[in-house]
């Protein structure tokens, strides 16, 4: 009972810290947007002073006005580049696409990373281990924009197995998902392999084998569970990084997600849209880190939420 009370107290404290962190992120982002050179209204063609004044009255906003609208009303204001469309309407259309891409990439990364990591720890053949570690190193070393362009050239243009761009059907989704997930497959492979090897040499494994327990049961019920802690700890920032990593991948494959809108908003000085995307990404990062810490306490009861 006492441990449960401590858990909820620390959970409340973490939520307050996350709220304060989000406030700092929004404030800094707003300041950077304001001091950046350029003005979105200067791009208007043959606009009179009266019309320009009306545009500024409708679309411009102050710092406290924006903060109160975001935190008290959930109002992210209107987009500069998509007139008469609110930022939340644009995000509402783009976010499901980015989440779908990120979810597919995360699922592939976890399945392949855990499978390769555990199998390379169990299989004693040096050739197989060298192959897995070599692929992992390539996944870490190759940037997304290089990998995505290479996959387009080989599988879409040369072999014509998939589409070059877009987000329709399996042939349109497979290349972006592989591009986004490969580096995370590599990291999870290395983390899970190291953790699995470390736990295989622990005293509790030797004790369990001495008691006559089957090796399969030891691996499934004890080694694998303890080996998942570093992976779970990595998955929260990885999931957030995958979501933010869609910025580049969506641009390469012309996917109508938040990444494409964010890039366009920066070039078009669309401050409300850029701020809205930053806030959504920040919320995901803070929330996923908190969820990862909670999952650690569920996997290992000895760990307490900090």
């Amino acid at each position: 009972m006492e441990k449960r009370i401590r858990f909820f107290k620390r959970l409340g404290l973490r939520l307050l810290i996350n709220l304060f962190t989000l406030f700092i992120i929004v404030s800094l982002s707003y300041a950077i947007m304001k001091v950046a050179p350029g003005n979105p209204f200067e791009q208007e063609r043959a606009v009179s002073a009266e019309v320009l004044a009306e545009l500024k009255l409708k679309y411009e906003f102050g710092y406290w006005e924006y903060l109160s609208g975001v935190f008290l009303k959930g109002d992210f204001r209107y987009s500069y580049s998509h007139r008469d469309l609110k930022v939340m309407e644009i995000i509402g259309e783009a976010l499901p696409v980015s989440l779908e891409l990120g979810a597919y990439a995360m699922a592939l990364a976890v399945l392949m990373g855990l499978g390769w990591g555990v199998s390379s720890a169990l299989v004693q053949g040096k050739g197989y281990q060298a192959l897995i570690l070599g692929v992992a190193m390539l996944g870490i070393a190759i940037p997304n924009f290089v990998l995505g362009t290479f996959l387009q050239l080989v599988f879409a243009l040369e072999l014509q197995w998939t589409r070059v761009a877009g987000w329709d059907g399996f042939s349109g989704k497979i290349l972006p998902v592989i591009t986004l997930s490969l580096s995370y497959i590599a990291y999870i492979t290395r983390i899970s392999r190291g953790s699995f090897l470390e736990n295989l040499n622990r005293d509790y494994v030797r004790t369990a084998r001495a008691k006559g327990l089957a090796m399969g049961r030891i691996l499934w019920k004890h080694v694998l569970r303890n080996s998942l802690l570093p992976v779970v700890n990595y998955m929260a920032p990885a999931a957030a990084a995958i979501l933010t990593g869609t910025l580049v991948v969506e641009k390469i494959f012309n996917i109508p997600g938040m990444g494409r809108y964010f890039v366009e908003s920066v070039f078009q000085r669309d401050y409300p849209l850029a701020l809205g995307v930053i806030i959504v990404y920040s919320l995901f990062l803070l929330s996923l880190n908190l969820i990862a810490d909670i999952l650690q306490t569920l996997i290992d009861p000895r760990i307490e939420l900090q």
Side-chain angles (χ1 to χ4, degrees), residues 81-100:
S81 56
H82 301 80
R83 297 291 163 81
D84 298 325
L85 278 179
K86 287 194 170 185
V87 170
M88 287 307 297
E89 294 176 350
I90 299 173
I91 292 177
E93 293 181 0
L95 182 58
V97 178
S98 296
L99 288 178
E100 185 182 6

Side-chain angles (χ1 to χ4, degrees), residues 12 48-49 55 90 113 121 149 151 156 181 199 232:
S48 64
L55 287 173
I90 299 173
T149 305
L151 293 178
S181 65
N199 280 280
V232 171

Side-chain angles (χ1 to χ4, degrees), residues 235-250:
M235 280 177 60
I242 279 182
L243 186 60
T244 55
T246 60
L247 294 173
V248 176
V249 175
E250 287 174 5

Side-chain angles (χ1 to χ4, degrees), residues 149-185:
T149 305
F150 174 76
L151 293 178
Q152 284 177 322
L153 288 173
V154 174
F155 293 100
L157 297 179
E158 292 294 332
L159 300 176
Q160 297 184 354
W161 290 354
T162 65
R163 296 179 54 183
V164 177
W167 189 245
D168 297 323
F170 179 81
S171 65
K173 296 178 180 180
I174 183 63
L175 293 187
V177 170
I178 293 175
T179 301
L180 186 57
S181 65
L182 185 59
S183 62
Y184 301 97
I185 292 174

Side-chain angles (χ1 to χ4, degrees), residues 8-52:
F8 284 108
K9 283 184 178 179
R10 290 174 179 176
L11 179 61
L13 180 60
R14 282 289 299 272
L15 291 174
L16 289 176
I17 293 174
N18 285 353
L19 184 62
F20 179 72
T21 304
L22 183 62
F23 171 78
I24 297 298
I25 292 172
V26 175
S27 301
L28 290 176
S29 301
Y30 178 89
I32 293 171
M33 294 289 180
K34 284 298 183 181
V35 300
N39 190 315
F41 304 110
E42 292 175 356
Q43 300 175 5
E44 300 290 339
R45 297 180 181 178
V47 175
S48 64
E50 293 79 7
V51 173
L52 186 60

